[in-house]
């Protein structure tokens, strides 16, 4: 089975939106953004995005964004290191549909983002909901450092626990 990761093109957005809705239906991820998936996939502070493909079909997605002080993981990292905010990128919007699972698509997407950040001398951070155990296992297996626990607020009064991580240097 041929797995590839490449930069996301504008022409991929519809397929990514459909995939996001599928993942939300099967896994409850994300907890927000599914009503307007294209907007969720294209935040204003996005820096780069990738898709994972199996046999030419889009089965996964990930992106990195410029960090802001509103990002829990970025805030925690800055409190620990005093690095400038401009050196931090936030990894997110990682999801893999059922057709892409057990083929290493998620890992390839994470490694691609890690290499992107390293090549630009940036620190990559993220937060992941407590319920997303497979993602947590993946990040920990790839050497991400746990930097704290936060409460993620979403929608009208929704909240859930989340773990924050920094990529290995």
């Amino acid at each position: 089975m041929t797995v590839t990761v490449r930069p996301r093109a504008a022409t991929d957005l519809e397929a990514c939106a459909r995939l996001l809705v599928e993942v939300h239906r099967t896994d409850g991820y994300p907890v927000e953004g599914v009503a307007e998936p294209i907007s969720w996939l294209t935040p204003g502070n996005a820096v780069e995005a990738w898709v994972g493909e199996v046999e030419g079909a889009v089965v996964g997605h990930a992106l990195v964004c410029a960090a802001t002080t509103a990002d829990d993981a970025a805030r925690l990292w800055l409190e620990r290191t005093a690095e400038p905010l401009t050196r931090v990128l936030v990894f997110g919007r990682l999801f893999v549909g059922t057709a892409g699972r057990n083929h290493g698509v998620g890992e390839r997407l994470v490694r691609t983002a890690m290499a992107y950040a390293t090549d630009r001398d940036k620190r990559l951070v993220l937060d992941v909901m407590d319920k997303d155990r497979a993602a947590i296992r993946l990040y920990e297996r790839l050497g991400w450092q746990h930097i704290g626990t936060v409460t993620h607020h979403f929608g009208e009064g929704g909240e859930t626990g989340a773990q924050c991580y920094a990529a290995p240097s």
Side-chain angles (χ1 to χ4, degrees):
M1 190 145 304
T2 304
V3 175
T4 58
V5 170
R6 63 171 174 77
R8 184 188 73 200
T11 54
D12 295 319
L13 283 172
E14 288 296 329
C16 290
R18 285 190 301 275
L19 187 62
L20 178 67
V21 171
E22 171 202 322
V23 170
H24 177 74
R25 191 172 47 249
T26 59
D27 301 337
Y29 177 88
V31 294
E32 58 197 341
V34 178
E36 296 183 31
I38 300 241
S39 293
W40 191 77
L41 292 166
T42 56
N45 61 337
V47 174
E48 186 63 78
W50 302 270
V51 294
E53 296 178 319
V54 171
E55 302 298 328
V58 172
V59 297
H61 178 274
L63 67 72
V64 293
C65 293
T68 71
T69 54
D71 296 307
D72 290 325
R75 186 177 35 74
L76 286 173
W77 181 253
L78 295 175
E79 288 171 4
R80 284 168 174 68
T81 66
E83 283 186 358
L85 188 63
T86 55
R87 271 209 71 232
V88 181
L89 293 172
V90 178
F91 179 71
R93 311 299 205 260
L94 172 67
F95 55 93
V96 177
T98 54
R101 296 187 183 169
N102 302 312
H103 299 296
V105 175
E107 180 173 339
R108 300 250 330 248
L109 285 162
V110 174
R111 287 186 183 279
T112 297
M114 290 168 66
Y116 179 89
T118 298
D119 290 349
R120 287 152 184 81
D121 193 33
K122 304 282 187 179
R123 173 64 66 166
L124 202 56
V125 298
L126 63 82
D127 65 60
V128 58
M129 305 306 110
D130 288 341
K131 69 176 186 57
D132 296 323
R133 302 304 307 160
I136 290 171
R137 284 191 303 273
L138 172 62
Y139 300 131
E140 290 179 349
R141 184 168 48 80
L142 294 178
W144 287 63
Q145 172 190 359
H146 185 260
I147 58 172
T149 300
V150 297
T151 300
H152 179 75
H153 300 275
F154 60 93
E156 293 186 30
E159 65 179 44
T160 185
Q163 303 306 311
C164 296
Y165 289 86
S169 55

